[in-house]
Each structure stands twice: as structure tokens, then as C-alpha cells.
Amino acid sequence: MTRPRRPIRRACLAATLLLPALPVAAGDDAPKPAGPAPAFQGGGSFVETFASLGDRRWYVSDGWVNGDHQGCTWSHQRVQIPTPGELTLSLTDSPYKDRAFSCAEIQTKARYGYGTYEIRMRVGAASGLVSAFFTYNGPEDGDRSTNDEIDFEFLGKDPKGVQLNYFTGGAGEHETVESLGFDASTTMADYALEWLPDRLRWSVNGRLLREVRARPDKPIPSHPGKIMLAIWIGQGRDIESWLGPARYPGRPIAATFERIAFTKLGDPCGFKGSIACR
């Protein structure tokens, strides 16, 4: 069944919410023939190896939820770098605000457009859970036409697959579930999104999982978006049809990230082994 539409995301709180121990920051419609699409703009190339979580690039979400479907509240305490080079986002049964669980999300301050997005990560596993890596440009300014999004969503009920999806102008229902050939909750793997003016390409360990080509009647995202990393758990009957019933295993669940990189379209690749080096 199609997942519920992502609700309008509330704006981040001020930088005072960032973890003191984790320094936390960063810079559309279909392309128009009169000029280049806005996604030719956006932030520049970078490689993040999580020696720390610097406040020039990242925000840490804290103190709110994204809707009634979310069974946890974003908490900066669930964002940690236990060892330099390893970021963990976790979900625990520590209540926060009006939710029984607390969970984690970080997002870039800048928005990024066409180029190659790469992440090395291991996801969490549990029914009702989502570990996510995606780009997001929400309609906070009231313009739904700019609500673009491109997703890797790992459903904890089946970590041997990944759900790939995108939204253009707020319109989704483009999801597919692709087999990974391994358990993403026990294997550190490299995932990549190539966002080009005429196509989207999702890959794992250099292997193409899915490609979508833009058509006049089926545009792809073209507005620069924030890069988002998150782990959360659902609640309610509607969300169960997508994620399965929420089942906390009695211990914290974590998604672990070792590297994230963005290579802007036309720039040289940023690290050895990047698919942008091809």
C-alpha cells in the first residue's frame, strides 16, 4: 500500500538546540525551456566523515514530531558520535514530550541540487521502524509546487530491501521496493543517488537498483533540497499498513553512518571509490 503523504515539515529550532558535545549546519517544477532549472543551483560539493557534527553544515532536530503518524519525538540526545568517523542516530523508549519514544534526525542547513549523493550506512531493524536518507524541499512557504523529495527508506520490518521513492510538486506514489541481496541492518554498505536534469538513479555498492527518466507528462524533482538523515517509528493503524506494527525490541535501535558526500553536477569526485569518479 502507498505510504501516507509526508506532512509539512516543521522548521528547525534555533542552533541552541544543538548538542554541545557535537558541534551541529551547512547553501523545482519541471525544468523550463526559458532557462535552467533551479536545481542547477544549490550548495557546493562536500565530503563529511563525521569527525564531529559541525554547526556550519548540520541542524539537529529536537522537540517536535512530523505528524500523528510518528510515534517518537526528535531528540538531540539521540544523535551521537561515539567514535570519530561514526555518527549514530538512535530510537529509544525514553519518553519525550507527548510520545513514548525519542528518535533522531539531522538535516543540512543548505539545499543541494543536481549531482551525486553518496552515503555509507547501516540501518536499524524492527517492525514499524524507518531509517532514511533523502533530499527534501518542503512547502513551508505555502508553495506546494516546490515540494520535491527523493528517498532511500529502509523499512525495519524487512532490512533486506529498500524503498525508493520521489515526490515532484508534492505528488508521490512512485515508490518501489528493491532487493539488496543482503541484510542492511548487519552490513555497512554504500548507497548513491544520482540526480540529473533528465533522470534519477539509485545504486548500492555500485550496482544500479533503479532508474527513472523524466518525461513531459512525468517530471522529476527540480528544486534544491536539504539532505536528511533520520530514524523513527510509526504509530496508528494507517501507518501499520506501510511499516508494520510498531514493536520495540527492548533495547535502543540505531542507524550508523560513516560518510556522506555530495558531488555537484560537473565537479570532480570528492573521494576514492565515489561513483562520481567513473
Side-chain angles (χ1 to χ4, degrees):
M1 178 175 174
T2 299
R3 74 170 196 183
R5 180 185 297 274
R6 185 182 296 282
I8 294 176
R9 182 175 296 275
R10 293 178 56 183
C12 293
L13 298 185
T16 54
L17 293 174
L18 306 183
L19 281 175
L22 299 178
V24 190
D28 255 308
D29 302 32
K32 297 177 174 60
F40 279 110
Q41 305 164 11
S45 301
F46 70 86
V47 179
E48 173 69 79
T49 55
F50 299 116
S52 65
L53 201 57
D55 61 3
R56 291 176 302 169
R57 179 170 292 135
W58 300 100
Y59 277 120
V60 170
S61 300
D62 186 282
W64 68 87
V65 300
N66 287 350
D68 292 341
H69 68 283
Q70 186 173 321
C72 57
T73 303
W74 303 128
S75 169
H76 70 273
Q77 294 184 343
R78 304 283 76 81
V79 180
Q80 299 291 332
I81 296 181
T83 302
E86 182 179 279
L87 169 73
T88 63
L89 304 183
S90 62
L91 176 127
T92 78
D93 59 354
S94 301
Y96 189 26
K97 300 291 183 77
D98 63 345
R99 296 296 195 265
F101 300 95
S102 54
C103 51
E105 175 188 77
I106 68 170
Q107 52 182 282
T108 56
K109 290 181 175 178
R111 296 174 189 263
Y112 300 85
Y114 294 138
T116 301
Y117 299 74
E118 298 175 90
I119 194 162
R120 183 166 177 78
M121 64 183 289
R122 183 173 59 245
V123 309
S127 180
L129 188 77
V130 179
S131 305
F133 162 49
F134 60 105
T135 70
Y136 177 79
N137 185 12
E140 287 85 357
D141 59 1
D143 183 1
R144 175 65 71 175
S145 70
T146 66
N147 185 194
D148 287 355
E149 179 177 339
I150 312 169
D151 302 318
F152 276 94
E153 292 178 304
F154 300 86
L155 311 187
K157 66 181 182 180
D158 181 16
K160 294 184 178 181
V162 60
Q163 180 170 290
L164 309 175
N165 197 12
Y166 67 96
F167 290 73
T168 304
E173 300 188 9
H174 303 121
E175 60 267 23
T176 64
V177 176
E178 306 294 338
S179 174
L180 293 170
F182 58 87
D183 186 332
S185 70
T186 60
T187 305
M188 187 67 70
D190 296 299
Y191 302 90
L193 164 68
E194 297 169 89
W195 180 12
L196 306 174
D198 65 341
R199 73 191 70 183
L200 301 171
R201 292 165 57 91
W202 293 262
S203 302
V204 59
N205 294 333
R207 175 174 63 89
L208 183 66
L209 289 172
R210 182 186 182 192
E211 180 176 85
V212 172
R213 292 177 180 263
R215 303 196 312 252
D217 63 336
K218 194 174 182 180
I220 62 174
S222 60
H223 293 80
K226 294 182 178 182
I227 301 172
M228 320 285 289
L229 308 179
I231 187 169
W232 59 278
I233 199 164
Q235 66 176 8
R237 292 184 179 179
D238 289 344
I239 206 76
E240 284 184 7
S241 63
W242 175 37
L243 303 181
R247 291 186 180 135
Y248 185 70
R251 53 175 172 73
I253 313 167
T256 303
F257 306 85
E258 291 185 348
R259 179 186 59 235
I260 183 168
F262 170 69
T263 306
K264 191 169 184 176
L265 185 63
D267 281 1
C269 59
F271 64 95
K272 185 178 180 180
S274 166
I275 66 168
C277 298
R278 296 177 305 186

Short mmCIF file of all heavy atoms in Angstrom, two decimals, residues 72-97:
data_model
loop_
_atom_site.label_atom_id
_atom_site.label_comp_id
_atom_site.label_asym_id
_atom_site.label_seq_id
_atom_site.Cartn_x
_atom_site.Cartn_y
_atom_site.Cartn_z
N CYS A 72 7.42 8.91 17.87
CA CYS A 72 8.57 9.36 18.66
C CYS A 72 8.77 10.85 18.41
O CYS A 72 8.35 11.39 17.39
CB CYS A 72 9.83 8.59 18.28
SG CYS A 72 10.25 8.69 16.52
N THR A 73 9.44 11.51 19.37
CA THR A 73 9.78 12.93 19.24
C THR A 73 11.26 13.05 18.91
O THR A 73 12.09 12.35 19.50
CB THR A 73 9.49 13.67 20.56
OG1 THR A 73 8.11 13.49 20.91
CG2 THR A 73 9.79 15.15 20.44
N TRP A 74 11.60 13.94 17.95
CA TRP A 74 13.01 14.17 17.64
C TRP A 74 13.73 14.67 18.89
O TRP A 74 13.26 15.59 19.56
CB TRP A 74 13.17 15.21 16.54
CG TRP A 74 12.50 14.94 15.23
CD1 TRP A 74 11.66 15.79 14.56
CD2 TRP A 74 12.61 13.78 14.40
NE1 TRP A 74 11.25 15.23 13.37
CE2 TRP A 74 11.82 13.99 13.26
CE3 TRP A 74 13.31 12.58 14.53
CZ2 TRP A 74 11.70 13.04 12.24
CZ3 TRP A 74 13.19 11.63 13.52
CH2 TRP A 74 12.40 11.86 12.39
N SER A 75 14.89 14.09 19.17
CA SER A 75 15.67 14.48 20.35
C SER A 75 17.14 14.60 19.98
O SER A 75 17.71 13.67 19.40
CB SER A 75 15.50 13.45 21.46
OG SER A 75 16.43 13.68 22.52
N HIS A 76 17.76 15.71 20.37
CA HIS A 76 19.20 15.86 20.10
C HIS A 76 20.02 14.85 20.90
O HIS A 76 21.14 14.52 20.52
CB HIS A 76 19.66 17.29 20.42
CG HIS A 76 19.66 17.64 21.87
ND1 HIS A 76 18.55 18.13 22.52
CD2 HIS A 76 20.64 17.55 22.81
CE1 HIS A 76 18.85 18.35 23.79
NE2 HIS A 76 20.11 18.00 23.99
N GLN A 77 19.45 14.31 21.97
CA GLN A 77 20.17 13.31 22.77
C GLN A 77 20.32 11.98 22.03
O GLN A 77 21.15 11.15 22.41
CB GLN A 77 19.46 13.09 24.10
CG GLN A 77 19.50 14.31 25.01
CD GLN A 77 18.87 14.04 26.36
OE1 GLN A 77 18.14 13.06 26.54
NE2 GLN A 77 19.17 14.90 27.32
N ARG A 78 19.53 11.76 21.00
CA ARG A 78 19.62 10.52 20.22
C ARG A 78 20.62 10.64 19.08
O ARG A 78 20.76 9.71 18.28
CB ARG A 78 18.24 10.15 19.67
CG ARG A 78 17.13 10.02 20.71
CD ARG A 78 17.20 8.70 21.47
NE ARG A 78 18.24 8.63 22.48
CZ ARG A 78 18.15 9.14 23.71
NH1 ARG A 78 17.07 9.76 24.09
NH2 ARG A 78 19.15 9.01 24.57
N VAL A 79 21.31 11.77 18.98
CA VAL A 79 22.34 12.00 17.95
C VAL A 79 23.69 11.97 18.63
O VAL A 79 23.96 12.79 19.52
CB VAL A 79 22.13 13.35 17.24
CG1 VAL A 79 23.20 13.59 16.18
CG2 VAL A 79 20.73 13.43 16.63
N GLN A 80 24.56 11.03 18.26
CA GLN A 80 25.84 10.86 18.93
C GLN A 80 26.95 10.53 17.94
O GLN A 80 26.68 9.95 16.87
CB GLN A 80 25.76 9.75 19.98
CG GLN A 80 24.74 9.99 21.09
CD GLN A 80 25.12 11.12 22.02
OE1 GLN A 80 26.31 11.40 22.19
NE2 GLN A 80 24.13 11.78 22.62
N ILE A 81 28.16 10.89 18.30
CA ILE A 81 29.36 10.41 17.60
C ILE A 81 30.20 9.68 18.65
O ILE A 81 31.07 10.27 19.29
CB ILE A 81 30.13 11.57 16.94
CG1 ILE A 81 29.27 12.21 15.86
CG2 ILE A 81 31.44 11.06 16.33
CD1 ILE A 81 29.94 13.35 15.11
N PRO A 82 29.92 8.40 18.89
CA PRO A 82 30.63 7.66 19.94
C PRO A 82 32.11 7.49 19.64
O PRO A 82 32.93 7.41 20.55
CB PRO A 82 29.90 6.31 19.98
CG PRO A 82 29.26 6.18 18.63
CD PRO A 82 28.91 7.56 18.21
N THR A 83 32.42 7.41 18.35
CA THR A 83 33.80 7.30 17.88
C THR A 83 33.95 8.22 16.69
O THR A 83 33.08 8.22 15.81
CB THR A 83 34.12 5.85 17.45
OG1 THR A 83 33.89 4.98 18.55
CG2 THR A 83 35.56 5.73 16.99
N PRO A 84 35.00 9.05 16.63
CA PRO A 84 35.17 9.91 15.45
C PRO A 84 35.10 9.09 14.16
O PRO A 84 35.73 8.03 14.04
CB PRO A 84 36.56 10.52 15.66
CG PRO A 84 36.73 10.53 17.15
CD PRO A 84 36.07 9.27 17.63
N GLY A 85 34.27 9.57 13.23
CA GLY A 85 34.07 8.85 11.99
C GLY A 85 32.85 7.97 11.99
O GLY A 85 32.59 7.25 11.02
N GLU A 86 32.04 8.02 13.07
CA GLU A 86 30.85 7.18 13.16
C GLU A 86 29.72 7.96 13.83
O GLU A 86 29.75 8.22 15.02
CB GLU A 86 31.16 5.92 13.96
CG GLU A 86 30.00 4.95 14.07
CD GLU A 86 30.37 3.69 14.84
OE1 GLU A 86 30.99 2.79 14.25
OE2 GLU A 86 30.05 3.63 16.04
N LEU A 87 28.74 8.33 13.05
CA LEU A 87 27.54 9.00 13.56
C LEU A 87 26.46 7.97 13.81
O LEU A 87 26.21 7.10 12.96
CB LEU A 87 27.03 10.02 12.53
CG LEU A 87 25.65 10.61 12.79
CD1 LEU A 87 25.69 11.60 13.94
CD2 LEU A 87 25.10 11.28 11.52
N THR A 88 25.81 8.02 14.98
CA THR A 88 24.68 7.15 15.24
C THR A 88 23.43 7.98 15.51
O THR A 88 23.46 8.97 16.25
CB THR A 88 24.91 6.21 16.45
OG1 THR A 88 25.07 6.98 17.63
CG2 THR A 88 26.13 5.34 16.22
N LEU A 89 22.34 7.60 14.88
CA LEU A 89 21.01 8.12 15.16
C LEU A 89 20.23 6.97 15.76
O LEU A 89 20.16 5.88 15.17
CB LEU A 89 20.32 8.60 13.88
CG LEU A 89 21.06 9.65 13.04
CD1 LEU A 89 20.20 10.08 11.86
CD2 LEU A 89 21.45 10.86 13.88
N SER A 90 19.63 7.18 16.94
CA SER A 90 19.01 6.06 17.63
C SER A 90 17.57 6.35 18.02
O SER A 90 17.14 7.51 18.12
CB SER A 90 19.81 5.68 18.89
OG SER A 90 19.84 6.75 19.81
N LEU A 91 16.84 5.27 18.25
CA LEU A 91 15.48 5.32 18.77
C LEU A 91 15.48 4.56 20.08
O LEU A 91 16.01 3.44 20.15
CB LEU A 91 14.49 4.69 17.79
CG LEU A 91 13.06 4.62 18.33
CD1 LEU A 91 12.07 5.26 17.37
CD2 LEU A 91 12.65 3.19 18.63
N THR A 92 14.92 5.17 21.14
CA THR A 92 14.83 4.51 22.45
C THR A 92 13.44 4.67 23.02
O THR A 92 12.64 5.49 22.56
CB THR A 92 15.85 5.08 23.46
OG1 THR A 92 15.36 6.33 23.95
CG2 THR A 92 17.22 5.28 22.83
N ASP A 93 13.17 3.91 24.09
CA ASP A 93 11.87 4.01 24.76
C ASP A 93 11.90 5.06 25.87
O ASP A 93 11.11 4.98 26.82
CB ASP A 93 11.42 2.66 25.29
CG ASP A 93 12.40 2.04 26.28
OD1 ASP A 93 13.50 2.61 26.47
OD2 ASP A 93 12.07 0.99 26.86
N SER A 94 12.78 6.05 25.74
CA SER A 94 12.77 7.20 26.66
C SER A 94 11.70 8.18 26.19
O SER A 94 11.84 8.76 25.10
CB SER A 94 14.14 7.89 26.66
OG SER A 94 15.15 7.00 27.04
N PRO A 95 10.63 8.38 26.95
CA PRO A 95 9.57 9.28 26.51
C PRO A 95 10.09 10.71 26.36
O PRO A 95 10.98 11.15 27.09
CB PRO A 95 8.53 9.20 27.63
CG PRO A 95 8.84 7.92 28.36
CD PRO A 95 10.33 7.76 28.26
N TYR A 96 9.52 11.43 25.40
CA TYR A 96 9.89 12.84 25.19
C TYR A 96 8.65 13.57 24.69
O TYR A 96 8.00 13.12 23.75
CB TYR A 96 11.03 12.93 24.19
CG TYR A 96 11.63 14.31 24.04
CD1 TYR A 96 11.59 15.26 25.04
CD2 TYR A 96 12.26 14.66 22.86
CE1 TYR A 96 12.15 16.51 24.89
CE2 TYR A 96 12.84 15.92 22.69
CZ TYR A 96 12.78 16.84 23.71
OH TYR A 96 13.34 18.08 23.56
N LYS A 97 8.33 14.69 25.35
CA LYS A 97 7.10 15.43 25.07
C LYS A 97 5.93 14.46 25.18
O LYS A 97 5.80 13.76 26.17
CB LYS A 97 7.19 16.12 23.70
CG LYS A 97 8.33 17.13 23.58
CD LYS A 97 8.09 18.35 24.45
CE LYS A 97 9.18 19.39 24.29
NZ LYS A 97 9.10 20.17 23.07
#
